Amino acid sequence: MVFYFCLFSIRMKISYNWIREYLKTDKQAEELSPILTNIGLEVEGMEDWISVKGGLRGVITGEVKTCGKHPNADKLYITTVDTGSGDHLRIVCGAPNVEAGQKVLVATPGTVLDYQGEPFELKRSKIRGVLSEGMICAEDELGLGNSHEGIMVLPQDTPVGIPAHEIFPVEYDTVFEIGLTPNRIDSGSHFGVARDLNAYFNLFKPSRISLPAVDSFRVDNNSRPVNVTIENEADCIRYSGLTLSGVKVKESPEWLKNRLKAIGLKPLNNVVDISNFILHESGQPLHAFDADKIAGNRIIVKNLPDKTGFITLDDQPRELSENDLMICDEEKGLCIAGVFGGKGSGVTDNTVNIFLESACFNPVSIRKTARRHDLHTDASFRFERGSDPEITTWALKRAAILIKEMAGGKISSEIVDVYPRRIEKPVVDVSYKNINRLTGKEINRKDIKKILNSLDIETDDSGGDTFKCKVPAYRVDVTREADIIEEILRIYGYNNIEFTEKVNSTLSFFDKPNKEKVINTISDMLSGAGFTEIMSNSLNPSAWYRESPDFDNDKMVILANPLSSDLDCMRQSLLYGGLNAIARNINRQNPDLRFYEFGICYFLKEKQKPVNTVDNYLEKLSLDLFISGSTSPENWNTDKRETDFYSIKSLIEIILEKLGFDCNSLTAEVNQQDYYTEGLTLSSKGELLAHFGKISKHYLNKQEVKQDVYYGHIEFDTALEKLKQHSISYRELPKYPSVRRDLALLVDKDLSFDHIKKLAFKTEKDLLRQVGLFDVYESESLGKNKKSYAVSFILRDDKRTLTDKITDKVMKKLVEAFEKETGAQIR
C-alpha cells in the first residue's frame, strides 16, 4: 500500500429542518439530496441528528414508592419505582437526593444511554449483591443538561408511565454536508440553499421564497446613538449598526440551540448565538460589541500604524499590519474587521448594552488579513468570497427583533448606515442563440425567465433574440453571458440535455516527438518495473530553498497571497515532495519504495523585473525517481538486496536509452550538489541532461527520513529538445557472430572506468560494440595507489566473420592506446 497526499474541499453543513422554514416542500431529505447535487451543490454526506442522543427511547416517568439504605453500601439506596406497568421495579440508586414520593425519569433495561460520549446498554444487574432493574436518571445521563448533582425530580402532577420524549420534546433532523465551491458563496447559507431549490421547484409548480419579514422592527428610543466614520472606503464598502440597551445575556432557548448544534456549532449565549444564527441563515456576518466599552460613542473604520499591538478574543497578542482594516473607537482598536473580535470589546455575561455591526468589506483585504494572521473564521470565510451589501440593514433588524425577544432590552438608536459608493447591479446582455448553442438544446424561453427570476436575476426582454439581465450584487461569480447560461443550465438540469447519436472527430497534428506520448511511454515502463507514480504539491515552504546552497534564491517564485506561511513559493525541485512522500510511507511501515513523478518546476528569470511580467517566469518539466529499501519483496528463495547507487544509475540510463540517447556518448562528471553524498551528472554537448545519486543525511534528517534514499533527476524538456535533433535509423540484425576478449589492466587508483571506455571507442570505431567492467581488484601487492580492472570487449564485423588475426590486431591497438594514454599495464 502506498499513501498519497490529498487536498480536501471545505464542507458546509445544512440542516433539513432549517431549510424547510423558508421552503415549503413535502420532499424528504433523501429526495432532496440528488436534487441539490444536480443543481451544483454537491452533497458529500448525510447524517441523522437528534437533539438528545438516544432520543430518550426506553425512558419513562415513574414514582418512587419506597427508598431505604443499601445493606452493603453507605452511599447507595434501594428503591421501588412504579412505572405504570403494574409491577414495581427495584432499582439501586446512588443519588443523594432520591426520596420516596418523587416523580422521576427511569431508564428501563435495554435502554441505550449516551453518557459523556460513550453509549452503553442498561441491563439488569446486581449492585453490591442486590438486583437492580433499571436506573433513575440525572439530567446529564439523559443529555438533558450538564448537572450530575442528583437525579431529575419532576413536578408532582407528572403522570406515571408516559414516555420521556412526551415531556421533553426531541427534535430529529438530517444534516447535509455540501461541498461548496469557492465561487458559490451565494449558497453559503440556509436561505441561499433554499433559494436554489426554489428555483428548481419553480419550474414545475409556482413558488416563491423570501427572507423572514422584519416589519415589526421599531426603534424604542434614541438614547445611545453611535456615530460611524469610514476612513478607508476602498476596503469598507458598507457599514451599518445600531445599539440595544438593557439586554440580559443568558442561555439561548432550546430551538435556537438545536439549530446551531445540528450544524456543529456550540451555543454560547443568546447574543452570540443570534449572530451565528443569522450568519448561517442569510450568509451575513454580524459582530456584537459591548457598547459601554466604545470610547466616545464613535466607530471609526480605518487602518492602524504598522506593528500596532492587538489582543484578539482568543487571548493571543498579535502585531497588526498597516494593511489590516480595523474597527476602532476614538482611543483604540476594537476588532480586526471581518476576521476576529478584540479581547476588550466583546460581549460577556455582564454586558448590558450592545452595539451591533453589520457590514460589507473588500474581499481581497479580508483574505489577505486572514492569511496574514492565520485566522480563519465563519465570518472571514464569507467576507473573503464576497458578501451581499444589500442585506446589512435587514440583518440588523432581524437580529434586533430576536435579541429583544430572547434578551429583553430596548433598541436605543436609529440604524446608522454608511454606504459611500453604492454598488450597482451589473447588466449582462444574453442571446437566446448563444444559450441554445452552449447548452446544446433549445430551452423554453418562459423556463429561462423562471429560472433567472427565481435566482434574483432580473430580466428585461424586449421581445427579440437578446435580453438584458440585472445581476444581484451578491452573485460575485456571475459577470458574463456564459455565467448566466451556466446558471440556467444547472437549474434546468444537465441530465435533461439529451445526447445525440452524432459523433464528431477532428484530426490533430502534433510535433514530433509527441510530448504526451513520450511521457506515457516512460510512465508505462516505470510502472511495469514496479514504480508508483506520485503527485506532490507544487507549493512549498520558501525556507526549504533559502536554507540550501543548491537552489538560487533569486529565481524563487514567491506567492503574493499565499494560502499559509508554509506554502509561500512555487517549487524549484520535485525532491522535497518525493522525500515527504517517502517519509510518510516509512512511518506507516512501508519501507521498500520506488516512486516516480512528472512535474513542473517554476523559476523567476530576472529578479529585477516586475513580478507581474508573464514572460519573466520559466516552467521546466522534470522527471524524478526515488528508490529506497529493498530491491524486491522478501522471499525464501532470494537474498535480500538493498538499493544502491548502481540501482539508480541503471534506471536513469535505461530511461535515457529509451529516449534515444547513447549513454556512451554522454559526459559524466561527479555531482557537487550539497544534497548528494555521492552523485553523478550526465550532460550532452555541455547541456545538463540528468543527475543522480545518494541523498545526504542532512537532507534526509530535515524530512525525517530514517533510511537511505537514492534519487535521480532528468531534465525532461531538455531531453525532448535533444530528441527532436535525433534521426532514427534502422538496420538489420547482425548476421555474423561477435567475439569477446578480456583484458586485466593495472591502472592508477584515480582512473575511472568511464575514461577507459571512452578511450576504447575512440581507438576502435568500426568493430568495437561493447565495453564492460566485470571486476575491480585492489591490493597492496599491486603497488601503491594501483588497482586492477577486468574489462571485456565485444567485437563484431557486420560484413564478415572476424578472424583471430583481425581480432588480435584490434586488441593490440587497444592495448597500445591504454599504455600510451593512461599508463596502464597488462597483467
Side-chain angles (χ1 to χ4, degrees):
M1 181 184 292
V2 178
F3 299 88
Y4 303 92
F5 296 102
C6 297
L7 293 177
F8 297 95
S9 62
I10 296 175
R11 290 185 176 186
M12 178 182 66
K13 291 192 173 184
I14 293 294
S15 159
Y16 170 70
N17 289 348
W18 198 342
I19 286 178
R20 293 184 67 191
E21 290 185 7
Y22 319 111
L23 182 71
K24 305 305 178 185
T25 177
D26 56 358
K27 289 190 177 294
Q28 299 300 309
E30 293 76 11
E31 297 175 281
L32 285 185
S33 177
I35 295 174
L36 286 168
T37 298
N38 288 339
I39 62 176
L41 302 174
E42 184 178 1
V43 176
E44 298 180 349
M46 292 172 61
E47 61 180 3
D48 293 326
W49 179 85
I50 309 175
S51 60
V52 179
K53 288 189 176 180
L56 298 178
R57 298 184 189 93
V59 182
I60 58 177
T61 60
E63 181 179 1
V64 180
K65 291 297 186 180
T66 65
C67 178
K69 281 284 188 179
H70 194 296
N72 302 321
D74 293 337
K75 295 184 178 181
L76 296 180
Y77 300 89
I78 300 174
T79 67
T80 56
V81 182
D82 178 12
T83 58
S85 61
D87 295 329
H88 292 179
L89 299 178
R90 180 166 57 179
I91 298 175
V92 177
C93 180
N97 65 329
V98 63
E99 294 178 0
Q102 290 174 334
K103 298 293 180 69
V104 294
L105 290 176
V106 180
T108 56
T111 301
V112 177
L113 298 178
D114 190 288
Y115 181 59
Q116 295 181 347
E118 294 293 332
F120 67 93
E121 183 179 348
L122 198 64
K123 299 179 180 178
R124 290 183 175 87
S125 61
K126 286 187 176 182
I127 301 176
R128 294 292 182 93
V130 177
L131 180 67
S132 182
E133 299 176 295
M135 178 178 176
I136 304 175
C137 300
E139 65 177 40
D140 64 332
E141 293 165 338
L142 296 174
L144 295 174
N146 300 317
S147 174
H148 194 68
E149 295 178 357
I151 59 171
M152 288 186 69
V153 179
L154 304 177
Q156 279 298 313
D157 59 353
T158 304
V160 172
I162 64 172
H165 62 77
E166 293 184 11
I167 303 175
F168 301 94
V170 178
E171 182 175 351
Y172 294 84
D173 198 357
T174 300
V175 178
F176 302 103
E177 289 189 347
I178 294 178
L180 194 67
T181 54
N183 63 318
R184 289 303 315 280
I185 195 59
D186 62 288
S187 294
S189 65
H190 283 76
F191 184 79
V193 173
R195 179 172 49 220
D196 274 9
L197 285 170
N198 178 70
Y200 172 81
F201 290 133
N202 194 43
L203 285 173
F204 311 102
K205 182 180 179 181
S207 63
R208 292 182 62 84
I209 64 169
S210 60
L211 286 166
V214 290
D215 298 338
S216 61
F217 175 83
R218 297 288 184 275
V219 176
D220 296 305
N221 56 65
N222 200 27
S223 61
R224 298 188 65 95
V226 173
N227 183 37
V228 174
T229 303
I230 300 177
E231 291 187 3
N232 185 346
E233 295 182 357
D235 289 342
C236 183
I237 298 168
R238 186 176 187 180
Y239 193 97
S240 308
L242 63 77
T243 308
L244 292 101
S245 60
V247 300
K248 177 64 176 176
V249 178
K250 58 184 180 180
E251 187 177 356
S252 298
E254 285 301 317
W255 74 265
L256 178 55
K257 291 194 290 185
N258 287 342
R259 286 287 174 266
L260 299 181
K261 287 178 182 178
I263 59 173
L265 296 182
K266 181 181 178 181
L268 296 176
N269 59 57
N270 48 7
V271 174
V272 174
D273 293 349
I274 287 169
S275 65
N276 283 332
F277 173 80
I278 291 174
L279 168 67
H280 290 276
E281 176 183 54
S282 65
Q284 175 60 40
L286 299 176
H287 188 73
F289 298 93
D290 188 325
D292 294 327
K293 297 177 182 178
I294 300 176
N297 286 332
R298 188 180 178 202
I299 291 291
I300 307 170
V301 186
K302 63 180 181 178
N303 300 80
L304 293 177
D306 200 33
K307 298 185 178 180
T308 299
F310 185 72
I311 300 177
T312 45
L313 279 172
D314 55 359
D315 286 322
Q316 293 297 315
R318 302 183 187 275
E319 194 174 82
L320 299 176
S321 163
E322 62 183 354
N323 297 315
D324 293 334
L325 187 67
M326 296 290 296
I327 309 300
C328 309
D329 59 18
E330 289 187 344
E331 299 175 357
K332 60 189 179 298
L334 302 175
C335 170
I336 302 178
V339 179
F340 212 36
K343 177 68 175 175
S345 62
V347 172
T348 67
D349 291 343
N350 300 319
T351 298
V352 177
N353 305 308
I354 63 174
F355 175 75
L356 271 182
E357 165 195 286
S358 180
C360 178
F361 299 112
N362 185 331
V364 175
S365 172
I366 302 302
R367 187 181 306 119
K368 288 183 177 180
T369 295
R371 298 292 185 273
R372 191 179 296 118
H373 296 287
D374 198 21
L375 285 170
H376 305 283
T377 60
D378 282 340
S380 70
F381 176 80
R382 284 156 178 83
F383 281 131
E384 286 176 30
R385 289 156 178 79
S387 63
D388 184 1
E390 300 302 324
I391 65 168
T392 59
T393 55
W394 174 90
L396 281 178
K397 292 177 181 179
R398 172 80 162 147
I401 292 169
L402 291 174
I403 289 174
K404 284 189 66 176
E405 177 185 323
M406 299 179 204
K410 303 288 185 182
I411 300 174
S412 301
S413 76
E414 297 286 347
I415 292 178
V416 55
D417 184 23
V418 183
Y419 198 174
R421 289 188 293 273
R422 180 170 293 276
I423 296 178
E424 299 297 331
K425 293 183 178 181
V427 177
V428 180
D429 291 321
V430 183
S431 162
Y432 287 111
K433 180 180 178 181
N434 287 337
I435 293 175
N436 299 337
R437 180 176 60 85
L438 289 179
T439 61
K441 182 176 182 177
E442 186 170 345
I443 302 174
N444 186 289
R445 296 189 177 189
K446 290 184 179 179
D447 288 341
I448 290 174
K449 290 181 181 178
K450 276 185 183 180
I451 291 171
L452 294 176
N453 293 335
S454 297
L455 295 174
D456 293 342
I457 298 174
E458 301 173 21
T459 56
D460 180 12
D461 193 348
S462 59
D465 188 54
T466 62
F467 62 97
K468 294 184 181 296
C469 291
K470 280 190 177 182
V471 182
Y474 66 82
R475 288 310 304 268
V476 294
D477 61 316
V478 179
T479 59
R480 307 166 300 164
E481 182 184 35
D483 299 328
I484 296 288
I485 296 172
E486 182 185 357
E487 291 299 296
I488 296 168
L489 187 54
R490 73 177 180 86
I491 299 298
Y492 182 79
Y494 290 96
N495 294 336
N496 292 325
I497 305 298
E498 298 84 1
F499 287 97
T500 65
E501 296 181 358
K502 181 182 177 182
V503 177
N504 297 321
S505 63
T506 57
L507 297 176
S508 302
F509 172 78
F510 295 98
D511 290 333
K512 302 294 183 180
N514 185 328
K515 182 177 180 179
E516 297 302 322
K517 185 176 181 180
V518 173
I519 290 175
N520 288 336
T521 299
I522 300 300
S523 296
D524 290 344
M525 183 184 77
L526 290 170
S527 297
F531 276 76
T532 300
E533 185 174 10
I534 62 173
M535 297 175 68
S536 55
N537 198 341
S538 57
L539 300 177
N540 288 170
S542 60
W544 284 353
Y545 301 104
R546 297 188 197 278
E547 295 169 359
S548 172
D550 295 322
F551 301 101
D552 189 347
N553 290 339
D554 290 339
K555 293 186 178 181
M556 205 158 33
V557 180
I558 301 294
L559 273 65
N561 186 25
L563 294 171
S564 71
S565 57
D566 289 335
L567 299 172
D568 61 342
C569 84
M570 305 297 288
R571 65 186 176 196
Q572 286 190 353
S573 171
L574 306 181
L575 172 63
Y576 290 110
L579 290 179
N580 215 334
I582 284 177
R584 186 175 177 85
N585 279 271
I586 292 174
N587 290 338
R588 286 157 178 76
Q589 310 302 315
N590 187 26
D592 301 328
L593 304 167
R594 297 164 75 86
F595 290 158
Y596 75 92
E597 179 175 11
F598 282 96
I600 294 175
C601 298
Y602 305 86
F603 304 89
L604 197 63
K605 292 180 182 178
E606 295 182 33
K607 192 175 182 180
Q608 291 74 20
K609 283 189 176 182
V611 293
N612 58 355
T613 305
V614 176
D615 60 0
N616 196 32
Y617 295 98
L618 179 65
E619 296 183 1
K620 290 184 179 180
L621 178 63
S622 301
L623 167 60
D624 283 17
L625 308 181
F626 303 85
I627 57 174
S628 185
S630 301
T631 57
S632 58
E634 188 175 7
N635 201 306
W636 66 272
N637 63 352
T638 56
D639 294 331
K640 184 177 181 180
R641 189 174 82 83
E642 298 294 319
T643 54
D644 55 23
F645 177 83
Y646 296 101
S647 302
I648 192 69
K649 178 178 181 291
S650 62
L651 287 165
I652 293 294
E653 289 179 345
I654 288 170
I655 294 172
L656 291 178
E657 288 177 359
K658 185 73 174 178
L659 292 172
F661 292 93
D662 179 7
C663 290
N664 294 323
S665 65
L666 300 178
T667 302
E669 297 175 326
V670 175
N671 190 290
Q672 302 296 334
Q673 286 173 294
D674 194 48
Y675 51 71
Y676 286 130
T677 298
E678 53 183 9
L680 282 180
T681 295
L682 299 180
S683 55
S684 175
K685 297 180 181 178
E687 194 167 3
L688 175 65
L689 195 58
H691 55 76
F692 53 88
K694 180 180 179 181
I695 297 296
S696 69
K697 291 292 184 184
H698 173 64
Y699 272 78
L700 295 180
N701 291 337
K702 285 200 295 186
Q703 299 296 322
E704 299 182 355
V705 177
K706 299 178 176 61
Q707 65 186 43
D708 290 342
V709 176
Y710 293 89
Y711 166 66
H713 166 83
I714 295 177
E715 295 280 348
F716 213 77
D717 282 335
T718 303
L720 289 174
E721 285 299 317
K722 294 287 184 183
L723 194 57
K724 290 179 182 179
Q725 303 168 13
H726 291 178
S727 57
I728 299 175
S729 59
Y730 298 89
R731 58 175 180 266
E732 61 180 336
L733 293 172
K735 297 179 180 179
Y736 302 98
S738 302
V739 174
R740 170 172 170 158
R741 290 288 187 271
D742 297 339
L743 290 177
L745 301 175
L746 184 65
V747 298
D748 292 338
K749 201 169 185 176
D750 59 353
L751 184 69
S752 67
F753 168 69
D754 188 63
H755 187 78
I756 296 288
K757 186 176 180 179
K758 289 182 177 179
L759 180 59
F761 280 108
K762 180 180 178 182
T763 303
E764 177 52 55
K765 299 178 180 179
D766 296 329
L767 302 181
L768 184 61
R769 304 301 178 190
Q770 295 178 29
V771 180
L773 178 66
F774 62 90
D775 190 30
V776 179
Y777 177 66
E778 296 184 20
S779 172
E780 293 290 338
S781 62
L782 295 177
K784 187 176 181 181
N785 293 325
K786 294 289 185 179
K787 62 183 176 183
S788 176
Y789 279 152
V791 184
S792 64
F793 301 89
I794 306 296
L795 306 175
R796 189 184 69 243
D797 190 336
D798 292 335
K799 297 180 180 179
R800 59 182 181 272
T801 302
L802 286 175
T803 62
D804 289 341
K805 183 177 179 181
I806 296 173
T807 303
D808 292 341
K809 182 178 179 182
V810 172
M811 294 306 298
K812 181 179 179 181
K813 186 166 60 169
L814 290 173
V815 169
E816 289 175 350
F818 294 147
E819 290 175 342
K820 180 179 179 182
E821 298 291 336
T822 67
Q825 300 176 32
I826 306 300
R827 295 183 64 204

